[in-house]
Amino acid sequence: MGLFLFSFRNVLSQRQKGFILWEVVIGLAVFGVIAGAGMKMWKIVDQGRFVRTCEQIQTIVTQLRHYKCVHAGLPEESALENSQALSMASSKIWDTLSEEQWIDGVSSSAIHPSKVYPKNALGGGAGLVRATFNERSGIWLVLAKETQHGLNGALFTPKEAERLSTTWGDGSPDSINFSAKEGMGISEGGCVEGKSFSKNSHRSCIVYLFVMD
């Protein structure tokens, strides 16, 4: 009788172990499906943010050009700096165009409360500089994330920057109307490698778009 009970318990124990193993396998499979669906959903959401940002960029550039055509210039445009996209002159332009309802989405900086700029769906914003890129001088739109030092943090992945370049330039990191650079703190090659965009998937790029002379 004792031998029978021992054998029965042994079989039961092995079956319980088998059930536990299957439960673990099924649990891992379910987790994998959920994780895969979550990643796919995140990519869709992220892509949606990029599309909305692209639409905003188009609107901003168009409205800046229309405003200059109507008013023969932008407010404080002569005071725009060549390196600081979050300058007082840039803020004055955004503030004026927002008050006159030429553009939407302008709000105060969280880090520099006295400055304002249009914020986008990717968590960055737009600034203006008077600079020369690729031998073209004029007013350029800067698309970046805000840091303690201004609008100079990486906002786009190299792939996103390349898509913008296809729309605004010739598909390369540098053209007459487009320029992509590494954001602050990003090592050389993080956004651009030679004359091509980097293959990494991190947000490492700042984008400059030509607006007007």
Side-chain angles (χ1 to χ4, degrees):
M1 183 68 179
L3 181 61
F4 172 78
L5 289 175
F6 174 78
S7 298
F8 177 76
R9 288 172 182 170
N10 190 40
V11 170
L12 183 61
S13 176
Q14 289 178 347
R15 287 184 176 179
Q16 286 176 335
K17 289 179 180 178
F19 288 139
I20 292 173
L21 180 60
W22 275 110
E23 288 170 358
V24 170
V25 171
I26 293 171
L28 289 174
V30 171
F31 177 79
V33 170
I34 293 173
M39 287 296 292
K40 186 175 181 179
M41 183 60 68
W42 175 254
K43 287 181 179 179
I44 292 173
V45 171
D46 213 33
Q47 187 175 35
R49 289 172 180 163
F50 176 70
V51 170
R52 292 199 302 275
T53 299
C54 290
E55 292 171 348
Q56 183 199 40
I57 292 168
Q58 182 68 63
T59 299
I60 288 173
V61 172
T62 299
Q63 293 300 80
L64 284 169
R65 290 171 176 170
H66 284 176
Y67 187 95
K68 182 164 186 175
C69 181
V70 171
H71 298 278
L74 298 175
E76 303 289 335
E77 70 169 82
S78 60
L80 284 172
E81 300 178 23
N82 64 359
S83 60
Q84 180 53 265
L86 200 61
S87 64
M88 290 304 298
S90 180
S91 291
K92 176 63 177 177
I93 292 171
W94 298 132
D95 195 37
T96 301
L97 268 66
S98 176
E99 286 183 358
E100 297 181 14
Q101 299 183 344
W102 285 78
I103 57 174
D104 299 320
V106 175
S107 59
S108 298
S109 159
I111 302 176
H112 309 89
S114 64
K115 310 290 179 61
V116 300
Y117 61 91
K119 297 181 180 179
N120 58 50
L122 289 176
L128 292 167
V129 294
R130 181 173 288 281
T132 301
F133 291 103
N134 310 319
E135 300 183 355
R136 185 163 196 182
S137 300
I139 297 175
W140 290 73
L141 185 72
V142 184
L143 300 160
K145 277 193 174 181
E146 186 178 2
T147 71
Q148 291 289 343
H149 302 284
L151 274 175
N152 59 1
L155 179 63
F156 301 102
T157 65
K159 185 175 182 179
E160 289 171 341
E162 186 173 14
R163 288 174 63 184
L164 286 171
S165 176
T166 302
T167 302
W168 294 90
D170 59 7
S172 70
D174 287 298
S175 62
I176 193 169
N177 293 319
F178 179 95
S179 186
K181 311 288 184 187
E182 280 78 18
M184 183 178 182
I186 304 297
S187 59
E188 186 176 352
C191 176
V192 178
E193 293 180 332
K195 295 184 179 181
S196 302
F197 286 96
S198 170
K199 300 300 182 183
N200 80 70
S201 59
H202 304 297
R203 297 198 176 279
S204 53
C205 303
I206 293 176
V207 162
Y208 300 83
L209 301 178
F210 181 79
V211 179
M212 61 187 69
D213 294 321

